[in-house]
Amino acid sequence: MDTDWSLIPGWLAMVGAITTLASPFLALGGVLIGARLTRKADEELDVWRHREETMRMVRWAVEQITTGEESQTDAGVVTLRSLMRSELLQAEDYDLVAALTAAVTIDRIGQAKYADLADLETEVVEQAGEGVSADG
Amino acid sequence: MAEKKTVKVSRQAVELARLHVEAARRAGRKPEPGVARIATARPENGNGAAAPA
C-alpha cells in the first residue's frame, strides 16, 4: 500500500521542518537561561552568607567593646576597623558602626564630661593610663 | 581669667571616637561634634598634636 505524502499540507511540512531545526537552539537557550538563573541565585546566596558572617563579626566586636576591658575593647576596635577598611561593610553598616561607636564613646567618658565638650574652650586630653577623669 | 577646663579621656575612648569619625565619614555623615573632638584629643604628655587614626 502506497502512502500518499502529498496529503500533508505544505505549510505543515514547513512548520515541522522549522520546529525540527529550531528545537536544539530552543533547548540550548533554555539551558543557558537556567544556568544564568542558577548562577544569580548562587551569587545572591553567597552575598547573604557573606553579609551574615560580616554581621556576626560586627556583633562580636561590639560585644568585646562593651565589656569595658581594655584588651577586649582594643580587639573589638581593631576588628571593626579592619572590617571597614576591607570594604566588607555596606553603606548602612557604616551608619550602624558610627552610631554604636558614638554611643559607647559617650558612655565611656560619661554624659557629664561629654556635655563639657560642647564648650569649645574645653581641652581634650588623652590620658596615658586606664580610666577617665576630668578636672578644671 | 578662669582656668581652662580639661577633660581627660582614656585611650580606648579616643580609639572608639576615631572609629566613629571614620565610620561616619564612610556613611557620608558628619560625625558627632563631641565625639569628633575626642578623636582629636592630644596626648597627655605629647606636644599638642593629635595622634594619627
Side-chain angles (χ1 to χ4, degrees), chain A residues 123-131 133 135, chain B residues 6-11 14 41-51:
Chain A
E123 190 178 24
V124 189
V125 174
E126 177 185 341
Q127 66 184 25
E130 177 62 6
S133 66
D135 58 50
Chain B
T6 301
V7 173
K8 291 184 179 179
V9 295
S10 66
R11 183 178 60 81
V14 176
R42 71 167 178 81
E44 192 169 23
N45 300 316
N47 56 8

Side-chain angles (χ1 to χ4, degrees), chain A residues 70 74 81 84-85 87 95 98 101 105 116-117 119 121-128 130 133 135, chain B residues 4-12 15-16 19-20 22-23 26-27 29 34-35 37-38 41-42 44:
Chain A
E70 185 177 355
D74 286 343
R81 185 176 292 135
M84 287 202 303
R85 292 183 178 171
E87 308 291 343
D95 267 340
T101 48
T105 304
D116 288 342
L117 298 180
D119 180 5
E121 291 297 312
T122 303
E123 190 178 24
V124 189
V125 174
E126 177 185 341
Q127 66 184 25
E130 177 62 6
S133 66
D135 58 50
Chain B
K4 198 174 184 179
K5 187 179 270 186
T6 301
V7 173
K8 291 184 179 179
V9 295
S10 66
R11 183 178 60 81
Q12 281 73 39
E15 290 289 332
L16 284 164
L19 198 57
H20 166 74
E22 188 173 343
R26 284 172 185 261
R29 292 186 177 199
V35 180
R37 290 196 66 198
I38 296 169
R42 71 167 178 81
E44 192 169 23

Side-chain angles (χ1 to χ4, degrees), chain A residues 7-66:
Chain A
L7 290 176
I8 300 173
W11 64 269
L12 188 57
M14 185 63 73
V15 167
I18 290 171
T19 306
T20 303
L21 288 172
S23 58
F25 296 102
L26 290 171
L28 179 64
V31 168
L32 289 176
I33 290 170
R36 189 183 177 90
L37 289 174
T38 303
R39 192 167 61 184
K40 192 178 175 195
D42 284 347
E43 284 172 359
E44 285 174 359
L45 187 62
D46 194 46
V47 167
W48 176 253
R49 283 181 185 153
H50 188 79
R51 182 162 173 74
E52 200 175 34
E53 180 61 26
T54 303
M55 292 314 290
R56 194 175 293 130
M57 287 178 73
V58 169
R59 188 163 62 235
W60 179 85
V62 171
E63 282 172 4
Q64 298 303 305
I65 290 169
T66 52

Side-chain angles (χ1 to χ4, degrees), chain A residues 96-112:
Chain A
L96 174 69
V97 173
L100 282 168
T101 48
V104 177
T105 304
I106 294 168
D107 183 64
R108 281 287 171 90
I109 71 164
Q111 284 288 350

